[in-house]
């Protein structure tokens, strides 16, 4: 490599030991101490080879950001510090690039963080795989399936606020590019007993509390529920509210997730109805009642709850009530019906609630699988994620713990087998000699539980199927007989004498020595829980429900499909599921995440060594480390090994030219590492003891310090030399600049001196010339002054002479003017006395008229043409003038008002004026039409798509379009028609279809007749002999009679240049085919209010009754 690449590594900046395989010395104490040291520094992930140990921090850490995802993307597993993303990336790249199906097994006890780990794995895979609308939709559906399953399958326990009470295995399917196509979810052993009873300090499943907290009042009323938790017997009250958990918000999240996954609205409502029915089942209580034959039977105390359940599920109340009171047993052709006492009725109620919820959960899983399954049938790559309950040891361990621990035994068995297989395959692949590894094989424990002849599950099934009295004690007796000699089975009642006096072993218990330790099981309830019996009467009642979902959950209740064969037991079903799971896991490349809970308080920063030690034992982590270290503790490819340690050998530093393996061989020979401590594989070097690796790390650390010192020395020398050369160069530059500055300053001084001398000489010469010029100017000014004074004297003498002459002439003119004035006044005096009165009258009259006009200016009325105000007349002699002025002013303001009109307004007013001339004081309907604007196009044919066909058939401009009632010529009844007036034609069209029924040219219209009363009837008379008049004249009724008649009159006048005759009379004749009929308008009382009615009296008379 031309340039050394600096990479982070698992061994760099290590807190404790990042990989437990390298822990030295290896024992339980150092193992726990290493986990605690890393936990205290927020390093919650540690490796055991390729296995990830995850310690729950009980708080949020900034190690899952998108930047972290990119940091671990496409990186070697050991290249960065331990992280769950590293394992997820390794699994995803192996699936995508090497075409290997993967499975990720997440185990640990409740509260260790298994569910969160599975979410992180899925979120990482979703972040690094392909993008696109379809891919994003698949990813969103896969991720949103978690909130739904958590709501229905998780609950708050004393150890965990979000504990998974079921096992989940999800197969995520990918295409050849590594893009997700879909998935399949399998669930195992839902803890359905929690539905009816919860231990102290724990809750029922989340969905019950989320529904009551987050549902709207409308939804609660529909489901017949109340928000108060204390109303329901199946909900524990001491832990109903969990700190930091918002059930209402979580309910909205679940509803949204169900919608994203693909649940229809009616499906989601059906699910909530089943949940509500389960809640209300717990409120049904029974009371004893004695029958005549002496047998006890049970009766329901309050039937209101039963009624509401039946309304929710659409079940006949009497059918369900009988199912709670009687049990029918069928044997061949016989049916026996027995009554249930109170205890049996409560058992039946709880069994129904458990089965209803358990089957609902299975239906949910199947429904989610339908939505998220891959739609294509191409070959798929699969990554499985197993989130399953860990090994459980409680104070009271029952059938559930027995089944769970059996599953963990099988997982431990396959874990050891696959780990050894992986080790052996790598040794063979690298051509390293394989040596046998001693380890504890728990197959003997698995055989004790699952053996088909004398296994515990087989004997439990046999005891459940045996006729006669079957109890938990008889089952324990059978175990004591068959398993007494087994080295991993302990019972005080067995034939083995070593346990007879063991006081730690109660009489009604048995103990199994699992790989993780001894577990004491209470035998009470084993038989009932394994039977998981639901009375056939209840199954048949559920099948009869009108609720589609509930009916589908109980197919065995169909009377047509009655199967007298006993259903499989819970133990046999779970055994078959585990066998299928193991077979599935063995076909995939395994990846392990071991989750550890640091404390029981669910608090951050607390590390309980005793609790962690207990989990390390039952998870078999030390056993795992020993298997990994049985051969070679550490292995690494040649290239990164040489890159990391090449500075320890002069031959390999700084660059090795040959193959990487040869470089590693030279390096190890130079360091004189014993040959038995390492071995060379095909592509990796194997180091047997961690001490050898730590020795290499110490040597590398020391060498790096030496190299750092060398680099510092060379850098300091280079820095000093660089500083000296810079100072020398700076001194030369400064000297050059100073010499330049000195010469420039000397030149400026010489130049300044020369300029001063020059300025003094020029100033002396200029002053000499100035003195000469001043002398010449004074001489010229003296001569000019003398001449000016002489000219002034001469001018003043001439002015004085002229003034004297002018005064003499002016005096003569004044005397002459006075003389002429005297002569005129003498002549005019005799005429003035005769015309003085006339002059005064004219002057007075002129002043009055002037005053009149000035007052009129201030008293002028408004410019509105309808304003009739006018100032009063001040003088009688101005009467005609006053009236004329009023007329002129009115004409002027009317003109001003008309000038404001647009062309359209002018047309409207012309039509209104025309209507006034035609109908004013003639037609009683006219006054009501004055205030109504003439719109013309009332139907808006151009905009209404209904009349598109009619619009296309008319090419001319439409003047009026209105719906009128056409009077039938035969009986006087009316029919709605569309009345259309264009420039040349009058058209009638069907109102519904828009088809043109009649077309009349305007030249064929001769007259329009109407009454003088307040009605809308009018007749259109046609020219005799014309084609349009073949059926006779038209008789119409319209709400806009005045407008239609006016527009018809104006259009006819415009086209034919002839005025249309408008006849207004209460009786007029119309031509109907060959007959002339008289239309007569009479006053009458109408049955339908104020609407005129038309009635044909005979062949010659048509009466119109007007109110």
């Amino acid at each position: 490599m031309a340039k050394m690449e600096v990479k982070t590594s698992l061994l760099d900046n290590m807190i404790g030991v990042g990989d437990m395989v390298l822990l030295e010395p290896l024992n339980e104490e150092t193992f726990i101490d290493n986990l605690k040291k890393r936990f205290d520094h927020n390093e919650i992930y540690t490796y055991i080879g390729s296995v990830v140990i995850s310690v729950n921090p009980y708080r949020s850490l900034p190690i899952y950001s998108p930047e972290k995802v990119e940091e671990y993307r496409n990186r070697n597993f050991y290249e960065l510090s331990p992280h769950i993303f590293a394992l997820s990336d390794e699994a995803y790249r192996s699936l995508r690039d090497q075409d290997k199906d993967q499975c990720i097994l997440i185990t640990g006890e409740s509260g260790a963080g298994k569910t969160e780990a599975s979410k992180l794995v899925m979120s990482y895979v979703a972040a690094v795989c392909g993008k696109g609308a379809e891919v994003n939709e698949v990813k969103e559906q896969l991720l949103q399936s978690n909130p739904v399953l958590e709501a229905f399958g998780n609950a708050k326990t004393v150890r965990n606020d979000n504990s998974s009470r079921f096992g989940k295995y999800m197969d995520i399917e990918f295409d050849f590019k590594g893009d997700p196509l879909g998935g399949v979810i399998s669930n195992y052993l839902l803890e359905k007993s929690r539905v009816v009873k919860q231990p102290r300090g724990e809750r029922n499943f989340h969905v019950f509390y989320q529904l009551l907290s987050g549902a709207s009042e409308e939804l609660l009323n529909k489901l017949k529920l109340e928000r108060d938790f204390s109303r329901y017997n199946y909900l524990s009250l001491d832990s109903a509210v969990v700190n930091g958990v918002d059930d209402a918000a979580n309910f909205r999240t679940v509803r949204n997730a169900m919608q994203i996954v693909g649940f229809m609205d009616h499906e989601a409502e059906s699910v909530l109805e089943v949940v509500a029915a389960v809640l209300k089942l717990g409120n049904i209580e029974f009371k004893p009642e004695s029958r005549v034959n002496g047998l006890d039977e049970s009766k329901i105390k309050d039937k209101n709850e039963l009624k509401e359940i039946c309304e929710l599920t659409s079940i006949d109340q009497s059918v369900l009530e009988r199912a709670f009171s009687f049990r029918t047993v069928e044997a061949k052709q016989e049916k026996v019906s027995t009554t249930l006492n109170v205890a049996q009725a409560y058992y039946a109620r709880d069994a129904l609630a458990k089965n209803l919820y358990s089957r609902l959960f299975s239906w949910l899983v199947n429904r989610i699988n339908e939505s998220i399954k891959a739609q294509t049938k191409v070959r798929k790559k699969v990554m499985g994620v197993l989130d399953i309950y860990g090994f459980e040891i409680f104070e009271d361990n029952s059938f559930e713990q027995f089944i769970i621990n059996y599953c963990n035994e099988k997982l431990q068995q396959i874990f050891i087998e696959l780990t050894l297989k992986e080790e052996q395959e790598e040794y063979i692949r690298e051509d390293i000699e394989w040596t046998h590894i001693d380890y504890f094989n728990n197959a003997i424990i698995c055989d004790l539980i699952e053996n088909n002849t004398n296994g515990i599950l087989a004997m439990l099934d046999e005891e459940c199927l045996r006729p006669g009295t079957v109890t938990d004690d008889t089952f324990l007796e059978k175990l004591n007989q068959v398993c007494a000699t087994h080295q991993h089975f302990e019972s005080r009642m067995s034939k083995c004498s070593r346990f007879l006096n063991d006081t730690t072993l109660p009489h009604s218990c048995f103990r199994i020595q699992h790989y993780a330790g001894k577990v004491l099981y209470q035998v009470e309830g084993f038989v009932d829980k394994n039977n998981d019996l639901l009375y056939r009467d209840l199954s048949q009642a559920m099948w009869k429900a009108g609720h589609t979902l509930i009916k589908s959950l109980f197919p065995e209740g169909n009377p047509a499909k009655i199967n007298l064969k006993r259903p499989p037991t819970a133990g046999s079903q779970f055994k078959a599921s585990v066998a299928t799971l193991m077979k599935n896991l063995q076909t995939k490349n395994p990846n392990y995440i071991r989750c550890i809970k640091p404390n029981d308080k669910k608090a951050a920063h607390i590390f309980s060594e005793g609790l962690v030690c207990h989990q390390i034992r039952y998870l078999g982590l030390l056993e795992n480390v020993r298997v990994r270290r049985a051969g070679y503790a550490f292995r690494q490819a040649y290239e990164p090994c040489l890159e990391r340690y090449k500075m320890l050998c002069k031959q390999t530093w700084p660059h090795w030219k040959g193959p990487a393996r040869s470089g590693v061989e030279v390096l190890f020979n130079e360091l004189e590492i014993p040959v038995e401590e390492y071995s060379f594989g095909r592509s990796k070097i194997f180091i047997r003891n961690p001490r050898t690796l730590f020795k290499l790390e110490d040597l590398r650390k020391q060498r790096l310090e030496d190299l750092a010192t060398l680099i510092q020395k060379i850098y300091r020398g280079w820095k000093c030399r660089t500083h000296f050369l810079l100072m020398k160069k700076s001194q030369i530059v400064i000297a050059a600049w100073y010499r330049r500055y000195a010469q420039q300053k000397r030149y400026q001084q010489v130049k300044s001196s020369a300029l001063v001398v020059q300025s003094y000489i020029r100033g002396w010469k200029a002053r000499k010339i100035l003195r000469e010029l001043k002398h010449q100017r004074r001489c010229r000014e003296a001569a000019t002054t003398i001449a000016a004074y002489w000219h002034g004297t001469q001018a003043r003498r001439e002015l004085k002479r002229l003034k004297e002459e002018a005064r003499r002439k002016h005096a003569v003119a004044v005397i002459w003017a006075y003389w002429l004035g005297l002569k005129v006044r003498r002549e005019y005096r005799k005429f003035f006395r005769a015309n003085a009165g006339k002059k005064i009258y004219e002057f007075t009259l002129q002043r009055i008229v002037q005053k009149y006009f000035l007052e009129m200016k201030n008293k002028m009325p408004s410019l509105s043409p309808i304003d009739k105000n006018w100032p009063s007349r001040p003088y009688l002699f101005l009467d005609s003038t006053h009236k004329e002025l009023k007329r002129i002013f009115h004409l002027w303001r009317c003109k001003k008002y008309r000038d404001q009109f647009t062309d359209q307004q002018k047309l409207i007013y012309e039509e209104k004026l025309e209507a006034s001339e035609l109908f004013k004081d003639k037609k009683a309907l006219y006054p009501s039409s004055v205030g109504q604007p003439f719109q013309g196009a009332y139907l808006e044919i151009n905009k209404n798509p209904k009349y598109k066909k009619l619009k296309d058939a008319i090419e001319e401009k439409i003047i009026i379009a209105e719906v009128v009632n056409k009077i039938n010529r035969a009986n006087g009844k009316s029919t709605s028609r569309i009345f259309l007036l264009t420039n040349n034609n009058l058209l009638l069209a069907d109102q519904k279809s828009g088809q043109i029924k009649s077309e009349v040219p305007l030249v064929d219209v001769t007259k329009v007749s109407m009454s003088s009363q307040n009605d809308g009837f009018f007749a259109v008379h046609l020219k005799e002999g014309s084609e349009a008049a073949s059926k006779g004249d038209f008789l119409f009724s319209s709400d806009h009679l005045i407008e239609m008649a006016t527009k018809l009159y104006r259009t006819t006048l415009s086209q034919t240049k002839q005025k249309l005759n408008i006849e207004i009379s209460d009786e007029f004749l119309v031509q109907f085919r060959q007959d002339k009929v008289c239309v007569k308008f009479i006053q009458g009382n109408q049955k339908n209010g104020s609407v005129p009615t038309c009635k044909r009296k005979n062949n010659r008379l048509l009466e119109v009754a007007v109110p």
Side-chain angles (χ1 to χ4, degrees), residues 831-1042:
F831 295 104
F832 177 76
R833 290 189 183 94
N835 298 321
K838 182 180 179 182
K839 292 290 184 181
I840 293 170
Y841 170 77
E842 290 177 354
F843 177 79
T844 304
L845 186 64
Q846 182 180 4
R847 293 295 297 168
I848 291 173
V849 171
Q850 185 179 10
K851 182 179 179 183
Y852 166 72
F853 280 117
L854 288 175
E855 288 179 353
M856 283 291 293
K857 177 182 176 182
N858 297 327
K859 296 180 181 179
M860 294 297 286
S862 65
L863 295 180
S864 174
I866 62 174
D867 187 359
K868 296 185 179 181
N869 294 325
W870 186 251
S872 59
R873 179 192 60 199
Y875 301 102
L876 182 63
F877 74 91
L878 292 175
D879 183 56
S880 60
T881 304
H882 194 68
K883 292 180 180 179
E884 184 65 17
L885 280 177
K886 179 179 180 180
R887 186 185 69 81
I888 293 172
F889 177 77
H890 180 69
L891 292 175
W892 173 78
R893 68 182 176 183
C894 287
K895 181 180 183 302
K896 293 286 286 184
Y897 185 75
R898 288 196 304 274
D899 290 343
Q900 298 175 5
F901 292 166
T902 62
D903 293 340
Q904 185 177 1
Q905 289 176 324
K906 287 180 180 179
L907 181 62
I908 292 173
Y909 281 107
E910 287 175 1
E911 290 179 345
K912 285 288 186 179
L913 184 60
E914 194 79 57
S916 174
E917 293 175 356
L918 291 173
F919 303 108
K920 187 175 181 182
D921 299 329
K922 300 176 184 179
K923 177 70 175 173
L925 186 66
Y926 171 75
S928 62
S929 71
V930 173
Q932 298 177 356
F934 290 173
Q935 298 181 12
Y938 289 96
L939 296 185
E940 296 184 343
I941 290 179
N942 293 331
K943 298 180 182 179
N944 195 332
K946 178 180 177 182
Y947 302 120
K948 183 177 185 303
K949 183 178 177 181
L950 179 61
K951 174 180 174 294
D952 295 339
I954 301 173
E955 298 179 355
E956 299 178 274
K957 178 184 176 183
I958 297 174
I959 298 173
I960 188 166
E962 164 68 331
V963 176
V964 300
N965 291 324
K966 176 178 174 294
I967 308 302
N968 191 297
R969 298 178 177 93
N971 51 23
K973 294 183 179 179
S974 61
T975 305
S976 295
R977 288 286 186 267
I978 298 176
F979 184 94
L980 298 171
L981 176 64
T982 65
N983 289 331
N984 295 309
N985 296 290
L986 186 153
L987 299 96
L988 294 177
D990 186 80
Q991 185 182 6
K992 295 182 179 179
S993 64
Q995 183 180 359
I996 298 176
K997 295 291 186 179
S998 301
E999 183 174 358
V1000 180
L1002 292 182
V1003 295
D1004 292 342
V1005 178
T1006 60
K1007 184 172 65 173
V1008 174
S1009 299
M1010 63 189 72
S1011 74
S1012 62
Q1013 302 184 40
N1014 193 19
D1015 63 272
F1017 283 85
F1018 69 99
V1020 178
H1021 301 271
L1022 304 180
K1023 184 187 294 183
E1024 293 185 6
S1026 64
E1027 183 181 353
S1030 60
K1031 293 184 180 181
D1033 300 336
F1034 292 105
L1035 185 60
F1036 301 109
S1037 173
S1038 172
D1039 295 335
H1040 303 91
L1041 168 62
I1042 302 300

Side-chain angles (χ1 to χ4, degrees), residues 631-825:
Y632 293 91
F634 182 77
R635 64 220 58 186
Q636 191 174 27
Y638 290 122
E639 287 80 3
C641 181
L642 180 62
E643 183 68 28
R644 186 168 183 83
Y645 301 113
K646 63 182 179 180
M647 72 286 297
L648 302 179
C649 176
K650 293 181 180 180
Q651 300 179 46
T652 58
W653 178 260
H655 302 295
W656 174 255
K657 302 297 183 182
R661 173 170 177 166
S662 301
V664 174
E665 291 176 355
V666 170
L667 176 64
F668 274 53
N669 291 332
E670 177 74 18
L671 295 175
E672 298 180 353
I673 297 176
V675 179
E676 62 273 10
E677 285 295 320
Y678 61 89
S679 181
F680 293 104
R682 295 182 185 275
S683 62
K684 296 180 181 179
I685 181 168
F686 289 73
I687 298 176
R688 188 178 300 277
N689 199 307
R691 286 193 298 272
T692 304
L693 181 65
F694 293 143
K695 178 183 176 183
L696 288 173
E697 284 296 312
D698 291 339
L699 292 172
R700 179 178 181 272
K701 183 178 180 181
Q702 182 60 43
R703 180 60 178 156
L704 288 177
E705 291 178 358
D706 295 340
L707 288 174
T709 303
L710 177 62
I711 292 170
Q712 286 178 349
K713 181 183 72 173
I714 294 173
Y715 171 73
R716 287 174 183 147
W718 169 83
K719 187 175 182 182
C720 289
R721 283 194 301 275
T722 304
H723 182 67
F724 168 74
L725 292 175
L726 181 62
M727 293 291 289
K728 183 178 179 181
K729 182 179 178 181
S730 301
Q731 185 269 332
I732 294 172
V733 171
I734 292 171
W737 277 89
Y738 175 74
R739 286 194 292 271
R740 176 189 173 191
Y741 166 75
Q743 290 298 324
Q744 285 179 340
K745 188 174 181 181
R746 184 170 175 274
Y747 167 75
Q748 291 294 339
Q749 289 177 348
V750 173
K751 182 179 178 181
S752 177
S753 301
L755 290 174
V756 170
V757 172
Q758 288 176 354
S759 64
Y760 270 101
I761 292 174
R762 292 191 185 103
W764 173 75
K765 287 184 177 181
R767 284 191 296 275
K768 183 178 179 181
I769 294 171
L770 180 62
R771 282 194 298 270
E772 294 175 354
L773 291 174
K774 282 183 177 181
H775 177 70
Q776 293 175 2
R777 189 183 68 179
R778 279 197 296 271
C779 292
R780 286 196 298 272
E781 287 178 352
T784 302
T785 302
I786 293 170
Y789 270 97
W790 168 247
H791 291 151
T793 303
Q794 291 291 103
R796 282 191 293 276
R797 288 177 182 175
E798 182 67 16
L799 178 63
K800 186 176 180 181
R801 186 186 64 80
L802 291 174
K803 284 183 176 181
E804 187 66 26
E805 185 177 352
R807 276 197 297 271
R808 285 195 296 269
K809 290 180 179 181
H810 178 68
V812 172
V814 170
I815 294 170
W816 176 249
Y818 271 94
W819 166 247
L820 289 177
L822 179 63
K823 285 177 68 177
V824 168
R825 283 192 295 275

Side-chain angles (χ1 to χ4, degrees), residues 424-483:
Q424 187 173 7
E425 286 178 353
E426 184 172 17
Y427 277 45
I428 294 171
R429 187 169 58 249
E430 293 294 330
D431 199 16
I432 301 294
E433 183 181 356
W434 171 258
T435 56
H436 177 72
I437 298 175
D438 292 328
Y439 67 96
F440 170 69
N441 190 346
N442 68 336
I444 186 172
I445 304 175
C446 295
D447 185 70
L448 169 65
I449 298 172
E450 68 181 2
N451 190 285
N452 290 329
T453 56
N454 55 5
I456 296 177
L457 287 176
M459 287 184 285
L460 181 58
D461 287 348
E462 183 180 335
E463 192 68 13
C464 290
L465 299 174
R466 180 176 63 84
T469 303
V470 177
T471 63
D472 297 320
D473 293 333
T474 60
F475 166 61
L476 182 58
E477 288 177 8
K478 190 160 190 174
L479 285 184
N480 292 333
Q481 292 174 5
V482 179
C483 304

Side-chain angles (χ1 to χ4, degrees), residues 194 237 405 978 1033:
R194 180 172 292 272
L237 299 179
N405 293 343
I978 298 176
D1033 300 336

Side-chain angles (χ1 to χ4, degrees), residues 156 257 302 310 682 772:
K156 188 262 182 191
D302 183 6
C310 293
R682 295 182 185 275
E772 294 175 354

Side-chain angles (χ1 to χ4, degrees), residues 536 539-540 543-544 551 554-563:
R536 184 174 286 113
S539 297
Q540 292 176 351
W543 187 84
K544 293 178 182 177
K551 186 170 185 175
F554 293 87
E556 75 277 10
N558 187 352
K561 299 180 181 179
I562 290 179
N563 186 3

Side-chain angles (χ1 to χ4, degrees), residues 53-303:
I53 302 174
S54 172
V55 183
N56 192 345
Y58 285 117
R59 61 194 178 98
S60 298
L61 294 177
I63 58 175
Y64 306 109
S65 61
E67 292 77 14
K68 275 289 180 182
V69 172
E70 290 300 320
E71 183 180 343
Y72 280 86
R73 187 173 186 175
N74 295 326
R75 302 294 286 269
N76 184 276
F77 185 74
Y78 295 103
E79 191 172 339
L80 299 173
S81 59
H83 202 290
I84 195 171
F85 286 169
L87 181 136
S88 305
D89 187 74
E90 183 76 13
Y92 177 71
R93 285 191 294 113
S94 297
L95 176 137
R96 183 192 63 192
D97 302 336
Q98 302 175 20
D99 204 17
K100 292 181 180 179
D101 288 349
Q102 303 288 317
C103 65
I104 299 176
L105 282 72
I106 306 172
T107 56
E109 74 169 48
S110 178
K114 300 187 298 299
T115 302
E116 287 301 318
S118 67
K119 290 181 185 176
L120 290 171
V121 170
M122 292 177 65
S123 64
Y124 179 84
V125 173
V128 300
C129 64
K131 302 291 187 289
E134 293 183 4
V135 174
N136 289 339
E137 182 180 357
V138 172
K139 290 193 291 188
E140 187 67 15
Q141 285 187 337
L142 290 173
L143 293 175
Q144 290 299 325
S145 65
N146 280 325
V148 180
L149 293 179
E150 284 185 16
F152 287 86
N154 289 23
K156 188 262 182 191
T157 65
V158 292
R159 297 185 175 182
N160 185 4
D161 289 343
N162 189 30
S163 175
S164 297
R165 307 317 299 162
F166 71 104
K168 181 179 76 172
Y169 177 74
M170 174 183 281
D171 268 335
I172 307 174
E173 298 172 336
F174 298 83
D175 62 9
F176 69 96
K177 303 189 300 294
D179 295 340
L181 296 173
V184 179
I185 299 173
S186 302
N187 65 299
Y188 301 96
L189 193 65
L190 176 72
E191 188 190 12
K192 56 186 178 182
S193 60
R194 180 172 292 272
V195 174
V196 299
K197 184 178 180 182
Q198 305 92 41
R200 181 174 295 277
E202 298 190 2
R203 291 205 315 178
N204 210 323
F205 292 102
H206 291 328
V207 67
F208 295 113
Y209 303 93
Q210 292 174 358
L211 175 60
L212 296 180
S213 300
S216 63
E217 293 295 337
E218 180 183 359
L219 179 58
L220 288 178
N221 292 334
K222 184 178 179 181
L223 298 177
K224 305 185 186 304
L225 296 175
E226 298 180 21
R227 207 173 290 281
D228 185 8
F229 295 155
S230 62
R231 291 278 300 155
Y232 304 100
N233 298 331
Y234 279 166
L235 300 184
S236 60
L237 299 179
D238 54 341
S239 300
V241 179
V242 182
N243 292 331
V245 176
D246 188 349
D247 287 319
N250 290 340
F251 180 73
R252 293 190 291 271
T253 302
V254 171
R255 290 299 299 269
N256 182 56
M258 293 178 76
Q259 187 176 5
I260 293 173
V261 170
F263 282 81
M264 307 300 288
D265 290 342
H266 69 87
E267 290 178 328
E269 290 178 4
S270 297
V271 169
L272 294 180
E273 286 170 355
V274 175
V275 172
V278 172
L279 262 182
K280 298 185 78 62
L281 273 174
N283 290 350
I284 295 179
E285 296 182 348
F286 302 93
K287 60 183 178 180
E289 190 171 295
S290 298
R291 303 183 69 182
V292 179
N293 56 8
L295 297 176
D296 289 337
E297 66 174 347
S298 61
K299 292 291 183 181
I300 297 176
K301 288 183 180 180
D302 183 6
K303 295 185 180 181

